[in-house]
Amino acid sequence: MQPKRLTLAVAATAIALAGFVAGSALHENAAPVARQLSDHLIAPAGAALPASLDGQPLPSLAPMLERVTPAVVNINTKTRVRVRRDPFFEHFFGLPDMPRERVQQSLGSGVIVDAAKGYVLTNNHVVEGADDVSVTLADGRTLTGTLIGTDPDTDLAVLKIPAERLSALPLANSAELRVGDFVVAVGNPFGLGQTVTSGIVSALGRTGLGGRGYQNFIQTDASINPGNSGGPLVDLRGNLVGINSMIFSPSGGNVGIGFAIPSDLVAQVMRQLVEFGTVKRGALGVEAQDITPELARLLNLGDARGAVVARVRSGSPASRAGLAAGDTILSLDGKPVRGAQELHNLEGLTPTGSKITLGILRDGKPQTLTTTLEAPTVRSVSGDSLDPRLAGAQIADQADSQRQALGGVAVTRVAEGSRAYANGLRSGDLIAAVNQRDIGGVDDLEQVLQRRTRQLLLTVVRGQNAFFLLVE
């Protein structure tokens, strides 16, 4: 009897969906439909639901998914991690030579967005630091992926695969999404293979989810699990509305709270990654902090919410606009600023060269200022000019005002096969210290390396992880 009860539940769901699609037609034909269902339910438990009931087709996502799934790929990465040897330990215990490196593997998802050029979108954290990237298509072909560019701040990356017999998804306008719209997630959860789940848009514009970077997430209850990262979130027309990126889960599995990067932001980032290999962002040139009760009292802010300007860099867009220390930024282009993180978020998501309007509070009085966002100027040097052991790397000052608080220098490029690459450095790394001495910028790094120390121990921040890297 259990199979029949299951069939009854499925049939009841089908009727509800049919009623949603057909409106009053189901109500008008309720008796004939009930008779057809009764006839169906006494059929063997293995029988499938009919394609239609009383002439009304049952709703199905299958036709849309037949167009979507060929564009969804599985991504397998391999990363070779250097392992330090201890000759004394090996000799003392009579152990054979230990391997100098080990291989880490990870799985994720991606989506083809340009069939003619072979461009694949995925998450940065899926391919971060990878030495080899394999892309498996829905038809079973496995191709080698070439990394075009990554953007850790939005967790996006673009790969290129041979453009042969590919299918691609068009990007939708995510600004038109509404809470309650139906969406479908496709990916490779837990390495099981291509899997489809459905749900609705639970919320829009989610920020402040922890970690750094720029956040403007779509929240959905479509089931997203480890391995779905980088896969598409599509609307019922099969258009790409987001790239699945992360979940909120106490257990590590799906609890109905998943987040996707909206397609409008994806399009902006992808355009720059394809053209430049990196993302150029504008900056106001301010350092700001949240309003505390003490600051609110000192600056006579009352119950205002915003970001208090602590410092304005000389010659910056903020300086030219007349912004000053002690001002409180309340809005940017009409969007409310509720704290320093939100200001950083809005600033980073606004394209370089955009003319913006700032709503501020000065001496208790509201004012409006205008300026144009510009890419900050940073100093960049080649690694071999600093130390032969860094040959093949390009190293630059931090351009991101929030990351500057961490100190350090950014590794903007590492040539494959170079000495820096063999030593374990990767594009996107942050070198925070050398021989356990903190580094504030390229100038600091030059001063430390002028001593030509025999040992070069780097403190590296990669994603959310920090570790020591011995450069040989």
Side-chain angles (χ1 to χ4, degrees), residues 92-135:
F92 184 79
F93 286 99
L95 297 176
D97 286 349
M98 302 296 288
R100 296 298 300 271
E101 63 181 25
R102 56 187 171 86
V103 177
Q104 293 179 340
Q105 297 191 59
S106 65
L107 295 171
S109 305
V111 56
I112 302 169
V113 290
D114 191 323
K117 296 179 179 176
Y119 290 143
V120 176
L121 274 169
T122 187
N123 285 144
N124 172 69
H125 77 258
V126 170
V127 297
E128 188 174 45
D131 296 299
D132 302 303
V133 180
S134 297
V135 178

Side-chain angles (χ1 to χ4, degrees), residues 49 108 122 134 145-146 226 304 311 334 349 358 360 425:
L49 285 172
T122 187
S134 297
T146 302
R311 187 168 74 92
L349 295 176
L358 296 172
I360 71 166
L425 275 180

